[in-house]
Amino acid sequence: MTQFTLSRATLASRIAGLVALVVFGGLAAAPWWASSAFLHLAGEFAVYLALATLWNLLAGYTGLVSVGQQAYVGLGGYITFSLALFFGVHPVLAIPLAGLVAALVAVPVAALVFRLSGAYFAIGSWVMAEVFRLIAAQATALGGGSGISLPASVTKALGGKWLREASIFWLALALGAGCLALVYLLLRSRIGLALTAIRDSEVASTSLGIRIGRVKHVLYILVAGLTAMIGALISLQKLRVSPDAAFSVNDWTAFVIFIVVIGGIGTIEGPILGTIVYFLLREFLADFGTLYLLFLGSLAIVVMLAAPKGLWGYAAERFGWSLFPVGYRITFKD
Amino acid sequence: MSDGLVVDAIESYYGDFKALHGVSLTLKPGSVLALIGANGAGKSTLLKSICGLVSPKAGRVSWRGRDITGLRGAQTVGLGIALVPEGRRLFKSLSVEENLILGGQIGRPGPWGLARLYDLFPILAEKRHQPATSLSGGQQQMVAIGRALMSNPDLVLFDELSLGLAPIVIKDIYAQLPKITGQGMSAILVEQDVTRALNAADQFLCLAEGRVSLSGAPRDHSRDAISAAYFGT
Amino acid sequence: MDLLNTVLQGVLVGGLYALFAAGLSLIFGVMRLVNIAHGDLIVLAAYIAMEVIKLTGLPPLAALVFVVPLMAALGYGLQRAVLNRTLGGDLLPPLLVSFGLSVILQNGLLAAFTADSRKLDAGVLETASVSVGGLSIGLLPALMFATAVAVIAALQFMFYKTALGRAFRATSDDAEIAELMGLDRRRVYAWAMALCLGVVAIAGVFLAIRSNFDPFMGPGRLIFGFEAVIIGGLGNLWGTLAGGVILGVAQGLGAAIDPGWQILAGHVAFLLILAVKPRGLFPRMDG
């Protein structure tokens, strides 16, 4: 009789988990050993990792391809600034509040854009972001079209230079790791099973009785809230919001999409690898300006056509790699 | 043999599923082959492999001495192969006549044209300006047959000719079949109703789980043998 | 009278938006493709027109003789070389590849022509107007609107009365079976994209005569075209014209209240219609 064992972890995933812990611990201590340029870069890395992970959760697992996530990045920044400027809320406390408010805003927005399907949903979400941007440009109390900086009185609440830089970095680290952990746990849960089913076949999962519409709806709102928290953090990193920068489709959606596509859509590892590739490319090629963006766009197209599952998907298929075991593996023993 | 259809040990996939495991057949010009087998035996995949909608991963399909393995559907029609697809699949935004015209648009010379088709199925002439999918099931099947004939084919592949049609309509369509195949045209007939298919054909091929389980002339095999081959027992 | 004038100008600008939208509507109808680079291609056409004018000295509208075939050829090539590879049922590849194209076009134009804004000079056509019962109708907006009507009428005729249109409809209905009628879908799609970019060329030249343009204004034009398509109802070309007009009027009324409200008012009109009639005002096709 054939016997088999079910397992989730692989040797690689155990090693990866250990490495992740060590890296996380080392990074948490970074304010004591690293330069402020490093903290800045690492904070930015965490922001992109989080944005990519969230976008991937929507596009890679529920098929909701949004080109309008900058709506929530910008919204998070603007809510944070409003709370700090008009209500005297401590900026750090403003981050979760921004997430909450944005999630509430996402409820009626979802009701509207969910009326569009497929590619039209993508552009509909973009229109939404444009609406947010144009409204922000009308908000004269927040600087209108040219935006506003966080006054020194508010930044003081974050402490001196060292403490301010350290706490913004810690917040970025926490949000980046938190989003990653959340998506990982989500995909291991029962919802994750449903999501994987949707990713693999929407028709089949409908017939399995999974209420796809509802799962998508809830996830869209959750991702909106989390994206706004990241937006709130970005506004503290930059200490400034302006409509064009806070709601930039290039910065907060185009690059994020390229990261996910190049790294590997529909996997947890893909966005991580994609973010690493993106930062490497940026460090080496950013001096070339527009040529760098031309290259990035072409690379995304080539990857999409030649290896639709991205670099990670390609490697995982060839070598059976998995660092974040969300499925089960069956090992047969004779 | 070089003037007919020769399928030699083809292996084809339906998505990731291997639907045909080395299937072979030969069909002489002017003869009718009944292709029978249970659901999922690979009948439709075999027809699609012949007309170019599915590209076999191994083996060879040749037609009139020419290797047509892996040609696209848009190319096989010009060589005289036409398909009457399962479920008819008429173009829903085209009228009856537009469906027929499209069938003949490659301009292959031959006996079939609008006038002759309307002669064969007078009801289509009457309804020619209606949207094709507004017709009854039987009439839609006539359009599907007509659309295939308009390309003046030498080989017609009929997939599930009578599926979903009323018995009286099926009888009508089968009554017209000799008029169609009588022109020296070859045909492969996929049909749920085995008896009807065997009666209309001069040879048959039975598929079970993607393999040929029995073939020959209907009169050379007992019904029991054919039935056993059908169910793969 | 002011209000009437605002509405009239909005209606006429709606013609331009319908030109943005017509190609989008056509390729969605034929191959269910939403091309995110559509707006950037409109801007590309404007730059090509600029170069053609530099080389030949032709007036902008006459330059269309070169720009339309050039863009159509580009569309045919783009579809065969790139976009056809993305079509296969899955939503992501066409969306992401056209998104990549959009970034490439914007930055390619930036590298070639700098971020300076440009404009095509159509001379007296830009300022000429006729006065009808106290309303002043600019010759250029009127010509734009008439062109939109003509283009849509021509597309409508092509789609429903010609062999090419029959091929488009059949391939849209069932591409696999259309293959068996001798219609190679790769070629049919390429023709549709060629036609789409022919219309885009006209839209681009009018855009460049009417206002300044720069490498980054493509996404905005895509959004206007998209809104016109959705307002009018998917797959309905005359509906698309109506959608463009509604968008133009909404923007005009918004601008009359406060210049900062112009674009926003258009988006709000779109969202209102989406909330009330999600399938648009005059839906035709399902999908």
Side-chain angles (χ1 to χ4, degrees):
Chain A
M1 197 184 145
T2 312
Q3 285 190 321
F4 59 88
T5 50
L6 271 181
S7 62
R8 298 200 107 145
T10 61
L11 182 62
S13 75
R14 290 203 182 94
I15 295 174
L18 211 65
V19 171
L21 269 181
V22 171
V23 169
F24 184 81
L27 281 174
W32 286 283
W33 57 260
S35 67
S36 61
F38 176 86
L39 288 187
H40 188 76
L41 188 69
E44 213 185 346
F45 185 92
V47 160
Y48 272 103
L49 178 61
L51 288 174
T53 299
L54 292 173
W55 189 84
N56 179 45
L57 179 63
L58 283 187
Y61 290 91
T62 70
L64 288 171
V65 184
S66 166
V67 191
Q69 290 309 96
Q70 69 275 20
Y72 298 107
V73 173
L75 189 62
Y78 269 87
I79 294 170
T80 303
F81 271 47
S82 309
L83 289 172
L85 289 173
F86 309 137
F87 301 97
V89 177
H90 189 279
V92 174
L93 183 63
I95 295 178
L97 286 176
L100 202 65
V101 176
L104 288 176
V105 172
V107 173
V109 169
L112 269 179
V113 291
F114 272 60
R115 288 165 174 252
L116 298 163
S117 63
Y120 280 110
F121 169 84
I123 307 187
S125 65
W126 194 353
V127 172
M128 256 343 209
E130 282 298 289
V131 169
F132 284 17
R133 180 177 69 84
L134 291 165
I135 291 174
Q138 294 294 311
T140 39
L142 287 165
S146 47
I148 194 168
S149 294
L150 209 56
S153 58
V154 179
T155 45
K156 264 187 210 136
L158 290 165
K161 182 174 180 293
W162 185 87
L163 185 60
R164 190 181 75 226
E165 281 178 358
S167 36
I168 286 173
F169 168 74
W170 281 323
L171 285 168
L173 189 66
L175 274 176
C179 284
L180 208 58
L182 186 85
V183 171
Y184 174 53
L185 293 175
L186 200 68
L187 290 178
R188 278 180 76 119
S189 70
R190 275 179 47 109
I191 302 171
L193 202 62
L195 287 177
T196 313
I198 297 177
R199 179 191 66 183
D200 293 343
S201 166
E202 193 153 310
V203 180
S205 34
T206 317
S207 60
L208 283 172
I210 297 165
R211 297 178 63 186
I212 291 174
R214 195 157 166 179
V215 172
K216 283 184 174 182
H217 222 109
V218 170
L219 276 179
Y220 177 84
I221 291 164
L222 176 75
V223 167
L226 291 170
T227 305
M229 285 174 69
I230 300 163
L233 173 76
I234 292 168
S235 73
L236 294 182
Q237 283 175 334
K238 297 188 184 300
L239 297 174
R240 176 173 179 77
V241 287
S242 71
D244 290 346
F247 294 96
S248 163
V249 63
N250 274 340
D251 289 351
W252 313 126
T253 295
F255 292 152
V256 168
I257 293 180
F258 290 159
I259 284 172
V260 177
V261 170
I262 292 169
I265 194 160
T267 61
I268 299 184
E269 296 88 346
I272 304 174
L273 182 62
T275 312
I276 295 171
V277 170
Y278 169 72
F279 273 80
L280 284 176
L281 286 176
R282 207 179 70 168
E283 289 308 301
F284 291 114
L285 297 175
D287 293 342
F288 295 100
T290 52
L291 280 180
Y292 155 65
L293 290 169
L294 281 174
F295 177 74
L296 202 59
S298 316
L299 182 65
I301 291 181
V302 168
V303 169
M304 195 77 232
L305 292 179
K309 289 175 186 162
L311 298 179
W312 182 264
Y314 181 76
E317 217 157 73
R318 284 200 72 148
F319 310 115
W321 291 353
S322 173
L323 299 184
F324 290 84
V326 292
Y328 291 93
R329 319 183 141 244
I330 300 182
T331 319
F332 288 97
K333 294 181 211 158
D334 287 320
Chain B
M1 255 320 114
S2 72
D3 48 354
L5 173 75
V6 182
V7 174
D8 185 19
I10 59 166
E11 317 217 321
S12 294
Y13 287 77
Y14 180 79
D16 289 333
F17 172 71
K18 189 171 182 183
L20 298 179
H21 303 259
V23 170
S24 303
L25 71 84
T26 51
L27 185 65
K28 282 182 277 206
S31 66
V32 176
L33 174 103
L35 179 59
I36 59 176
N39 273 336
K43 304 184 300 282
S44 286
T45 307
L46 177 54
L47 294 191
K48 287 183 172 182
S49 303
I50 294 169
C51 69
L53 292 184
V54 166
S55 185
K57 291 277 190 293
R60 211 175 111 99
V61 182
S62 56
W63 167 240
R64 298 176 145 179
R66 182 179 163 178
D67 185 359
I68 61 164
T69 325
L71 285 192
R72 294 174 68 96
Q75 296 165 300
T76 57
V77 61
L79 301 173
I81 300 175
L83 173 77
V84 179
E86 180 181 354
R88 303 178 281 273
R89 293 171 70 173
L90 301 181
F91 301 112
K92 65 179 189 311
S93 52
L94 271 59
S95 69
V96 169
E97 189 157 293
E98 282 182 311
N99 266 280
L100 296 175
I101 292 173
L102 199 65
Q105 79 151 15
I106 53 157
R108 203 165 183 269
W112 293 101
L114 276 180
R116 184 167 176 152
L117 263 180
Y118 288 150
D119 224 30
L120 183 69
F121 300 121
I123 186 74
L124 297 189
E126 218 173 281
K127 306 204 165 187
R128 63 187 185 198
H129 294 305
Q130 290 190 19
T133 43
S134 70
L135 271 55
S136 74
Q139 291 162 357
Q140 288 193 33
Q141 189 62 276
M142 292 173 196
V143 179
I145 294 171
R147 186 178 62 180
L149 291 178
M150 285 291 286
S151 67
N152 281 303
D154 298 312
L155 169 64
V156 187
L157 314 171
F158 294 96
D159 199 354
E160 302 288 8
L161 193 54
S162 61
L163 193 69
L165 301 183
I168 176 90
V169 177
I170 299 174
K171 222 177 131 197
D172 263 10
I173 287 181
Y174 270 90
Q176 305 287 16
L177 212 53
K179 284 192 207 164
I180 297 166
T181 52
Q183 314 283 328
M185 192 186 278
S186 326
I188 297 181
L189 195 58
V190 169
E191 184 59 87
Q192 294 286 330
D193 184 341
V194 176
T195 310
R196 197 181 285 283
L198 292 178
N199 284 340
D202 41 42
Q203 52 174 314
F204 79 97
L205 184 117
C206 186
L207 284 180
E209 290 175 353
R211 293 181 171 83
V212 178
S213 56
L214 194 66
S215 67
R219 60 180 176 281
D220 296 342
H221 297 274
S222 72
R223 288 311 305 265
D224 285 349
I226 293 175
S227 169
Y230 185 96
F231 292 109
T233 49
Chain C
M1 208 41 126
D2 264 2
L3 181 69
L4 201 59
N5 197 44
T6 306
V7 170
L8 180 69
Q9 304 309 330
V11 169
L12 296 180
V13 171
L16 182 62
Y17 296 163
L19 284 174
F20 293 164
L24 212 53
S25 186
L26 174 76
I27 53 163
F28 183 79
V30 176
M31 58 187 118
R32 300 287 179 273
L33 171 78
V34 175
N35 178 8
I36 296 214
H38 187 78
D40 305 295
L41 288 163
I42 294 174
V43 177
L44 174 70
Y47 279 101
I48 291 180
M50 186 177 87
E51 288 303 298
V52 166
I53 291 164
K54 255 188 227 160
L55 280 172
T56 61
L58 286 170
L61 289 180
L64 280 173
V65 178
F66 293 100
V67 183
V68 169
L70 274 173
M71 287 299 289
L74 175 71
Y76 193 93
L78 185 67
Q79 186 69 37
R80 299 256 4 196
V82 181
L83 294 174
N84 270 340
R85 294 161 193 259
T86 69
L87 299 172
D90 196 2
L91 168 74
L92 269 168
L95 208 60
L96 298 185
V97 166
S98 65
F99 198 65
L101 268 178
S102 163
V103 170
I104 291 174
L105 280 170
Q106 285 174 32
N107 290 286
L109 288 173
L110 179 67
F113 298 103
T114 75
D116 296 348
S117 56
R118 315 290 177 115
K119 196 175 165 310
L120 297 186
D121 181 12
V124 70
L125 179 65
E126 289 178 38
T127 48
S129 66
V130 283
S131 202
V132 182
L135 290 173
S136 161
I137 300 176
L139 201 55
L140 179 66
L143 187 64
M144 230 155 53
F145 190 80
T147 306
V149 172
V151 163
I152 284 174
L155 285 178
Q156 189 82 6
F157 177 80
M158 179 281 305
F159 211 63
Y160 290 102
K161 299 282 186 233
T162 66
L164 184 63
R166 204 161 54 216
F168 284 162
R169 280 180 291 145
T171 306
S172 164
D173 283 349
D174 191 332
E176 195 180 53
I177 298 301
E179 288 263 330
L180 295 179
M181 313 289 128
L183 297 175
D184 184 337
R185 77 185 85 172
R186 296 169 305 184
R187 222 176 267 156
V188 173
Y189 292 158
W191 278 111
M193 189 54 85
L195 209 59
C196 165
L197 289 206
V199 177
V200 156
I202 300 173
V205 168
F206 274 113
L207 170 78
I209 297 173
R210 182 172 169 265
S211 62
N212 291 334
F213 61 96
D214 62 57
F216 297 109
M217 72 186 308
R221 304 324 103 179
L222 165 74
I223 286 178
F224 292 162
F226 161 77
E227 287 175 332
V229 170
I230 299 285
I231 292 174
L234 283 183
N236 183 345
L237 282 167
W238 288 116
T240 298
L241 180 64
V245 165
I246 289 171
L247 192 63
V249 171
Q251 288 188 359
L253 292 176
I257 299 167
D258 177 332
W261 277 82
Q262 183 188 354
I263 311 288
L264 194 55
H267 293 331
V268 169
F270 161 74
L271 293 175
L272 277 177
I273 286 166
L274 189 61
V276 182
K277 294 202 77 167
R279 286 171 54 75
L281 297 177
F282 315 101
R284 172 168 280 162
M285 228 176 328
D286 25 70

